[in-house]
Amino acid sequence: MTTEPARIRPPELGEPYLLTPGPLTTSYEVKRAMLRDWGSWDDEFRAMTRSMRSGLLDLIGPGADEYDCVPIQGSGSYCVEAMLGSFVPKDGKVLVLANGAYGLRAAQTMACLGREYHLLDKGDYLPPRGTEVTEILQADPAITHVLIIHCETSSGILNPVEELADAAHAAGRKVLIDSMSAFGAVPLEAQRIKYTAMVSSANKCIEGVPGFGFVIARKDELVAAKGNSHSLSLDVHAQWATMEKTGQWRFTPPTHVVAAFLTALAAHAAEGGVAGRGARYMKNRDVMVAGMRDLGFETLLADRWLSPIIVTFFCPADPAFDFSAFYDAMKARGFIIYPGKLTVVDSFRIGCIGQMDEHVMRQVVEAARDTLAEMGVGSAAPPAAALEERKKLAA
Ligand SMILES: *Cc1c(COP(=O)(O)O)cnc(C)c1O
């Protein structure tokens, strides 16, 4: 397995690196793949759709023959909505495990659909645990499905998906997974985690451009999903049935995005698949976190919960620090960072995914060092309140 170093993009493009969890920095080859128009009904494009669906199924490992892949136009949230509306029957009930914005968005989606749900809200970042799931399911026999957020991108925590799925299965309930920001870099193997359906999108760890997402679902569940959906365009069963019959998407597909995605999938395979991609992102994270800690920054999460996707840092307590000035100065040095989403203390996030390698991450740390010096920030240490907050996790 050879891991090709990420390509530093031609400087004449003058684009900053996107240290954000999608859209992210894509390769030149991925962008170049969009310079051609495709007829959506044409054999060539239908072959591209077929190849993309089977390429994605390959990523879930042995047992993939029991699953199928259904792409859906739109951003990731469209796919979450499509999954919830298609696999949860109208009289079903979902236990939504939330520890951040995406879990809460899923609960909001259930409310919009007018379907029953029970929200376990752990706040900004505390992980939901298997024992909590067991207790809730015991107390409420009406719950049919459990929704797990794989990597909660708002804090960057990697939730204990296997523990949570095991607890759901032990109670005889079905599992739905939002693996939007993890799929392709963190293993989600069908043999280990038997989920009804999961979703991800083109512009995260496969490193494509935005425009569609995809549902990977058990074939028997796809058959059974007929008639469940509240929506015409977000009906996963209908999209699947049409694709199986005609090889076409039901409505205009994002043809250029699909072409770019196939190039991205080939690069993913060449890098060593999920293991190779995950290894590069972990290296990115480790180099970046070590460098930032060296500058005095502290991570919200202890190492065991850090995902290789995105990392939350506390803002320094030093009054000379100002996030928007820090952001602008980092951008001027070629790096777009991400504001934080914690409600209690100020924070910011740095993504590890996209066409970047450890050398780029070292430049990120250097840029942060220069920026702190320029701002006159003597210490990047967080306020005491932040460290208090973090103690909650130790429990
Ligand atoms: C990116 C993401 C989504 C989808 O967000 P969109 O803005 O609709 O693409 C959903 N869940 C998680 C965990 C994500 O990281």
Side-chain angles (χ1 to χ4, degrees):
M1 182 177 83
T2 53
T3 304
E4 207 176 290
R7 184 183 303 270
I8 308 283
R9 289 172 310 146
E12 68 269 20
L13 285 179
E15 290 175 30
Y17 280 98
L18 301 180
L19 303 171
T20 58
L24 38 63
T25 296
T26 58
S27 70
Y28 181 73
E29 287 73 16
V30 163
K31 289 187 256 280
R32 191 178 55 194
M34 291 185 284
L35 294 176
R36 180 185 157 172
D37 304 315
W38 303 89
S40 63
W41 39 264
D42 184 74
D43 280 346
E44 270 184 272
F45 185 73
R46 281 190 275 183
M48 286 159 65
T49 298
R50 261 199 315 280
S51 148
M52 172 177 87
R53 292 171 67 198
S54 68
L56 284 169
L57 280 174
D58 286 345
L59 304 187
I60 66 170
D65 52 322
E66 288 178 27
Y67 287 77
D68 210 342
C69 173
V70 188
I72 304 275
Q73 297 94 326
S75 85
S77 301
Y78 291 60
C79 287
V80 175
E81 186 163 343
M83 173 173 75
L84 292 171
S86 300
F87 295 100
V88 181
K90 293 197 170 79
D91 60 356
K93 181 170 181 179
V94 178
L95 168 57
V96 176
L97 304 177
N99 55 341
Y102 292 104
L104 294 178
R105 188 182 295 173
Q108 190 189 2
T109 306
M110 290 303 294
C112 275
L113 296 181
R115 295 189 198 179
E116 291 289 315
Y117 66 97
H118 176 112
L119 174 63
L120 174 67
D121 183 0
K122 300 285 296 188
D124 278 351
Y125 58 87
L126 294 177
R129 301 308 303 250
T131 48
E132 294 172 287
V133 170
T134 303
E135 271 169 36
I136 294 168
L137 295 181
Q138 245 161 25
D140 189 350
I143 294 172
T144 53
H145 294 71
V146 177
L147 176 73
I148 304 169
I149 312 291
H150 194 178
C151 170
E152 176 47 82
T153 323
S154 46
S155 67
I157 191 171
L158 198 54
N159 281 320
V161 61
E162 199 165 343
E163 172 186 310
L164 297 166
D166 284 351
H169 285 136
R173 317 303 167 85
K174 293 177 178 176
V175 169
L176 302 171
I177 303 176
D178 171 352
S179 186
M180 205 69 67
S181 62
F183 188 74
V186 183
L188 193 61
E189 288 170 4
Q191 268 189 343
R192 291 193 67 176
I193 300 166
K194 291 185 173 42
Y195 45 85
T196 287
M198 57 122 315
V199 279
S200 184
S201 79
N203 60 279
K204 303 237 174 172
C205 295
I206 312 289
E207 301 185 354
V209 301
F212 70 90
F214 48 91
V215 179
I216 292 181
R218 292 188 56 87
K219 285 179 191 162
D220 52 1
E221 297 279 0
L222 280 164
V223 172
K226 185 171 185 181
N228 280 348
S229 184
H230 61 293
S231 161
L232 178 72
S233 54
L234 297 179
D235 185 336
V236 179
H237 170 88
Q239 180 91 325
W240 173 70
T242 300
M243 241 174 223
E244 286 295 282
K245 202 162 147 212
T246 68
Q248 292 178 39
W249 303 49
R250 274 182 312 158
F251 310 122
T252 303
T255 47
H256 302 72
V257 179
V258 172
F261 191 74
L262 278 174
T263 300
L265 259 182
H268 182 269
E271 193 174 348
V274 176
R277 183 63 46 98
R280 174 161 60 87
Y281 290 172
M282 275 188 263
K283 187 82 190 165
N284 284 352
R285 175 199 61 196
D286 291 346
V287 165
M288 186 268 291
V289 167
M292 293 293 281
R293 283 181 177 157
D294 223 38
L295 298 180
F297 284 103
E298 299 224 24
T299 59
L300 163 72
L301 302 171
D303 289 0
R304 88 166 265 219
W305 297 108
L306 285 184
S307 68
I309 310 302
I310 188 165
V311 178
T312 297
F313 293 94
F314 294 122
C315 288
D318 191 317
F321 184 87
D322 168 65
F323 177 75
S324 76
F326 185 69
Y327 178 95
D328 290 342
M330 290 295 285
K331 183 176 175 187
R333 287 170 170 81
F335 301 106
I336 298 233
I337 62 170
Y338 216 44
K341 268 201 169 160
L342 302 183
T343 48
V344 182
V345 287
D346 290 337
S347 61
F348 65 92
R349 292 174 289 171
I350 297 185
C352 311
I353 66 179
Q355 277 290 295
M356 309 178 300
D357 62 9
E358 59 184 291
H359 306 294
V360 175
M361 297 321 260
R362 283 196 192 92
Q363 294 169 24
V364 173
V365 174
E366 281 317 300
R369 185 194 307 277
D370 292 351
T371 300
L372 289 183
E374 185 179 273
M375 293 172 77
V377 175
S379 159
L387 300 176
E388 269 313 300
E389 175 74 5
R390 196 170 62 181
K391 276 201 194 128
K392 290 186 201 161
L393 242 188

